[in-house]
Amino acid sequence: MDALAPSPVTAPLAAARPLTVRMATPRGFCAGVDRAIQIVERAIEKFGAPVYVRHEIVHNRHVVDRLKGLGAVFVKELDECPDDRPVVFSAHGVPKSVPATARARDLLFLDATCPLVSKVHVEAERHHAQGKHIILIGHAGHPEVVGTLGQLPDGAISLVETVEDAMAFQRPGDQPLAYATQTTLSLDDTSEIVGVLKSRFPELPDPHKEDICYATTNRQEAVKQLADGSDLVLVVGSKNSSNSVRLVEVALRAGARDARLIDDASQIDWSWFEGVNTVGVTAGASAPEPLVQAVVSAMQARFAVTLADDPGEPETVTFKLPRALTT
């Protein structure tokens, strides 16, 4: 090859059209996800493989596959776990019956429930002890919702998913009411549902502290900023990740012309980039940063990319690991 001729790698870049890529701050792992993953990793280090995990530790395929490679075995229920191996409960929380069953079998179990989910459980129990009926705003079937419903006897909590559900909800008898929310919901959608409930039940008290977690709030605010001026927003995250799905919805609502949820760079459809000059990139709270960087690299291989970090407050929250893993 002529020494002066452009290499196959540099030639396409020389002719590539410009593309501005804006990176959301914050994005990716939150403290609860980081803690949950560490619990599985430390358990494998301390007790050896296999370590069993009830349900996906967090909702991300790449995280789950990596932990499988280290020796984690993911199961749906405790009856799939042997008596002589540790079991980890996922970050989404579990019904009270699950640790009760584990204790009855004398299993070594480690609870990776996010402390902010545990806060919702504690509030629900407090309301129940005060004789209140609880309205839970969330998505039916989501593990976090299943776990919260399972903290109290059947009938103590009513699930409300939509504004229509809020309009149709009937108070059981003359019971006082309280409400709680899934931690990964859209702030705007939840506010609308709460508004309907409060218009019908003006005495409905707010939680002591907002149930939607800081990480969900921060990522949604960041993606609103990202969407303003972005032709396309890419959200890195898995389809079963509630907070990741919400980021796509928030981006579209905030003015992005298009927004897509992708597990990784392999899922990018380059036809999305037709007529696109500015792309925003963010990641759900359970998506690892290397996946985000791989998406950026894929765009750099096709376009003359100018990278820009959106301003935002870095997160400094951390949660302690269970004592069984630190002593």
Side-chain angles (χ1 to χ4, degrees):
M1 180 183 290
D2 190 329
L4 298 179
S7 72
V9 174
T10 58
L13 290 179
R17 70 174 178 87
L19 181 70
T20 298
V21 177
R22 294 169 54 195
M23 307 296 291
T25 304
R27 63 179 181 268
F29 278 3
C30 64
V33 165
D34 188 52
R35 173 181 179 268
I37 293 168
Q38 283 192 61
I39 287 173
V40 178
E41 292 171 340
R42 296 278 191 95
I44 293 169
E45 289 174 9
K46 183 167 183 175
F47 304 109
V51 166
Y52 287 74
V53 185
R54 184 185 179 275
H55 293 180
E56 291 189 349
I57 187 67
V58 296
H59 282 158
N60 185 273
R61 177 172 61 84
H62 291 274
V63 169
V64 168
D65 287 347
R66 185 180 70 82
L67 292 174
K68 284 180 180 177
L70 294 177
V73 177
F74 291 86
V75 298
K76 291 185 177 179
E77 297 299 342
L78 289 185
D79 59 12
E80 299 173 63
C81 302
D83 292 336
D84 60 347
R85 298 307 303 161
V87 60
V88 179
F89 302 152
S90 82
H92 310 100
V94 295
K96 274 190 170 179
S97 59
V98 174
T101 300
R103 290 188 190 97
R105 288 180 55 189
D106 202 25
L107 289 177
L108 170 60
F109 67 89
L110 299 160
D111 191 352
T113 300
C114 174
L116 300 179
V117 174
S118 296
K119 178 189 78 70
V120 175
H121 293 178
V122 169
E123 286 206 343
E125 289 188 286
R126 179 174 58 82
H127 290 314
H128 182 64
Q130 293 170 348
K132 295 177 181 177
H133 184 81
I134 299 147
I135 302 166
L136 176 62
I137 302 170
H139 298 298
H142 188 279
E144 183 183 328
V145 167
V146 172
T148 301
L149 291 172
Q151 300 305 303
L152 298 175
D154 289 347
I157 304 177
S158 294
L159 181 62
V160 166
E161 296 188 77
T162 63
V163 166
E164 291 73 23
D165 289 346
M167 291 296 297
F169 169 76
Q170 294 298 316
R171 182 202 305 262
D174 58 356
Q175 269 190 284
L177 299 173
Y179 79 90
T181 75
Q182 184 179 330
T183 64
T184 55
L185 299 180
S186 158
L187 292 166
D188 296 332
D189 289 347
T190 304
S191 176
E192 191 176 359
I193 292 170
V194 170
V196 169
L197 290 170
K198 287 199 165 189
S199 71
R200 297 187 60 214
F201 310 103
E203 77 282 6
L204 195 64
D206 287 321
H208 285 171
K209 189 177 180 183
E210 178 63 61
D211 285 341
I212 296 176
C213 82
Y214 79 93
T216 298
T217 301
N218 291 351
R219 280 153 189 72
Q220 289 183 15
E221 291 303 320
V223 88
K224 286 178 183 179
Q225 181 174 305
L226 198 67
D228 183 15
S230 290
D231 304 308
L232 169 67
V233 172
L234 297 178
V235 178
V236 181
S238 293
K239 288 182 174 60
N240 60 342
S241 165
S242 175
N243 76 86
S244 300
V245 173
R246 301 290 85 73
L247 289 176
V248 174
E249 297 170 354
V250 170
L252 291 170
R253 189 174 294 174
R257 195 176 77 196
D258 192 9
R260 304 284 179 161
L261 179 65
I262 55 173
D263 250 318
D264 53 44
S266 71
Q267 293 187 346
I268 297 173
D269 182 338
W270 297 105
S271 69
W272 301 337
F273 288 72
E274 293 176 11
V276 167
N277 297 309
T278 302
V279 177
V281 178
T282 189
S286 49
E289 181 64 14
L291 297 181
V292 177
Q293 294 306 317
V295 167
V296 173
S297 295
M299 289 187 286
Q300 289 173 324
R302 289 163 177 80
F303 302 98
V305 168
T306 300
L307 272 177
D309 285 316
D310 267 24
E313 287 296 321
E315 293 170 343
T316 58
V317 176
T318 58
F319 295 131
K320 293 181 179 178
L321 297 175
R323 187 174 299 175
L325 296 177
T326 59
T327 55

